[in-house]
Amino acid sequence: MGPQHYVIGNWKMNGLVAGACALARAVLAGAPGCATQLALCPPATSLGAVAAVLGRGPVMLGGQDCHPKATGAHTGDVSAEMLADVGCGLVVVGHSERRTNHGERDDLVRAKAEAAHRAGLVAVICVGETLAEREAGRTREILATQLRGSVPAGATATRTIIAYEPVWAIGTGKVATPAQAAEAHGWIRSELDGMTGAGGAFSILYGGSVKPENATDLFALPGVDGALVGGASLDATQFLGIAAAAPRRRA
Ligand code: PGA
């Protein structure tokens, strides 16, 4: 029995309520029989409506970000407690678009992951190198720094998922080669092992231009426990096609 396998859809800033509900309904209809835990992360404005669609069914609901604090004068922000209140079971933190567009650094990402844990949510912590960092041979060092800075002390595999998302592969159609992905996942797992003593228990997802056409090869790699999917998660057929590539593991 290895780590839990996940396919998580990150819809980013896409979709209005009616379309979000239709997409969630289509994913929910295809979920039975999936060999992976599915989750959907709609924009905050659609969370309540999508929660009503998903109900207590097999597809988890997730937020795309949260504030470190539970309440307070933080205009425009959403707390982990609010996400839990509306039915979320997980929240993505430290996505490279947050790190780049909002200047989020590792200590803030860690505070957000701690907030997720405080609220009873699973934190999906994203890490990944830029093309310049990869070309400079710094990938392992960057991943180690991000993990040490972003993963809360005492994080456990039941409440923490790591998403390896090479920045150069997000939304670009460029996927890491099997060798690159397997190598990075190995580095992440050994770093987590050094940090927690239980690296083998963590689900480590790959993210960056995952499609039905490349999911089978990615999921066959040692140490790849699923995917964080952006663009292809906006189409139920594609998203379920990725989910269908999940290997059947013994529960
Ligand atoms: P992509 O996005 O699948 O569109 O490359 C992945 C992500 O940002 O999580």
Side-chain angles (χ1 to χ4, degrees):
M1 185 180 112
Q4 169 75 48
H5 195 282
Y6 289 89
V7 174
I8 301 176
N10 170 15
W11 295 354
K12 307 190 179 182
M13 197 173 72
N14 292 293
L16 306 181
V17 171
C21 289
L23 182 50
R25 241 177 255 116
V27 170
L28 185 61
C34 282
T36 182
Q37 173 65 57
L38 296 178
L40 298 176
C41 303
T45 49
S46 295
L47 280 171
V50 171
V53 169
L54 298 180
R56 293 181 176 276
V59 181
M60 284 176 81
L61 184 68
Q64 298 179 11
D65 181 45
C66 66
H67 192 278
K69 295 265 168 54
T71 58
H74 303 288
T75 303
D77 282 310
V78 173
S79 71
E81 281 75 3
M82 291 168 175
L83 295 176
D85 181 49
V86 80
C88 289
L90 56 81
V91 59
V92 176
V93 295
H95 190 281
S96 67
E97 287 153 13
R98 301 287 318 173
R99 291 179 185 262
T100 304
N101 301 347
H102 299 269
E104 295 192 5
R105 304 176 79 90
D106 290 330
D107 53 351
L108 178 59
V109 175
R110 186 177 63 239
K112 291 182 174 199
E114 286 166 354
H117 293 158
R118 182 188 66 218
L121 301 178
V122 171
V124 182
I125 303 175
C126 302
V127 296
E129 81 288 359
T130 64
L131 187 58
E133 288 162 346
R134 173 163 285 275
E135 287 176 344
R138 297 182 56 212
T139 301
R140 184 172 193 166
E141 164 209 333
I142 294 294
L143 295 177
T145 303
Q146 289 181 344
L147 288 167
R148 279 189 228 122
S150 306
V151 176
T156 62
T158 48
R159 286 271 169 230
T160 309
I161 296 171
I162 304 298
Y164 169 58
E165 299 207 304
V167 178
W168 49 272
I170 296 177
T172 59
K174 289 186 199 151
V175 192
T177 65
Q180 287 170 328
E183 183 180 51
H185 279 242
W187 286 338
I188 289 169
R189 199 173 298 286
S190 78
E191 192 62 39
L192 285 172
D193 206 39
M195 292 167 60
T196 68
F202 283 81
S203 298
I204 305 176
L205 316 186
Y206 173 83
S209 299
V210 179
K211 306 271 182 281
E213 300 75 47
N214 56 33
T216 306
D217 288 347
L218 285 165
F219 293 164
L221 295 173
V224 175
D225 307 306
L228 181 56
V229 185
S233 73
L234 296 172
D235 179 301
T237 306
Q238 287 207 31
F239 185 66
L240 290 168
I242 293 167
R248 301 210 160 258
R249 300 180 178 186
R250 281 194 301 127

